[in-house]
Amino acid sequence: MSKNSRKKIEKQLDDLWRRAVLKRDNNKCRICGKTIGIQAHHIFSRVRRSTRWELENGITLCRGHHYLAHRDFERFRRFVVSIIGEDRYDELYLLSLSTVKWSMSDLEKKVEELKRF
């Protein structure tokens, strides 16, 4: 397995994840409903590889709310909890802290999962 092929699949996963989040949220900011300048935001940072491509770890935000999500995390956290509940938020948080080593097979399965969505 080459490093380039892994990077290619990860880039594909990033794009599939982004499109799936936008589709799930009907291409609207979940806070204000805007449809212009929308972006897929990771609830828990994308550097946390265990939740990087989990659909539930994403939310569609307009540029302004995306900026605010990074600047006022506690307010954003409360908003997310109002949508998914405290228990699910805590589960997702704990999952985001776990260490994961994605095999090429795991990555390919995740590609197929996101494509099906």
Side-chain angles (χ1 to χ4, degrees):
M1 159 187 53
S2 77
K3 193 172 184 177
N4 286 339
S5 60
R6 176 177 279 279
K7 289 216 177 276
K8 185 177 177 180
I9 289 178
E10 289 179 355
K11 184 172 174 41
Q12 180 184 18
L13 278 165
D14 287 339
D15 184 59
L16 287 167
W17 177 87
R18 180 187 63 78
R19 290 188 298 165
V21 169
L22 295 175
K23 179 181 178 182
R24 183 203 59 207
D25 293 344
N26 297 312
N27 293 299
K28 292 180 185 176
C29 175
R30 293 287 298 270
I31 295 175
C32 69
K34 284 184 184 176
T35 58
I36 304 296
I38 56 171
Q39 304 166 347
H41 172 72
H42 286 86
I43 296 168
F44 296 103
S45 175
R46 67 190 299 263
V47 300
R48 297 181 182 187
R49 299 188 58 82
S50 55
T51 51
R52 181 172 178 163
W53 301 298
E54 289 300 317
L55 192 54
E56 199 170 15
N57 188 42
I59 187 168
T60 301
L61 300 174
C62 65
R63 275 187 227 114
H65 283 118
H66 196 170
Y67 174 81
L68 289 175
H70 286 281
R71 298 296 178 256
D72 189 351
F73 180 77
E74 181 53 30
R75 185 174 174 188
F76 176 69
R77 187 195 74 77
R78 287 193 309 265
F79 175 75
V80 172
V81 166
S82 76
I83 295 171
I84 67 173
E86 191 80 45
D87 289 343
R88 186 60 192 133
Y89 182 89
D90 290 344
E91 290 169 7
L92 193 58
Y93 171 70
L94 290 175
L95 178 60
S96 79
L97 296 177
S98 64
T99 302
V100 65
K101 176 80 170 151
W102 291 86
S103 69
M104 284 299 282
S105 174
D106 294 333
L107 293 173
E108 290 164 353
K109 286 177 188 171
K110 186 56 90 168
V111 164
E112 291 310 312
E113 175 188 322
L114 288 172
K115 278 182 176 180
R116 281 192 305 273
F117 183 82

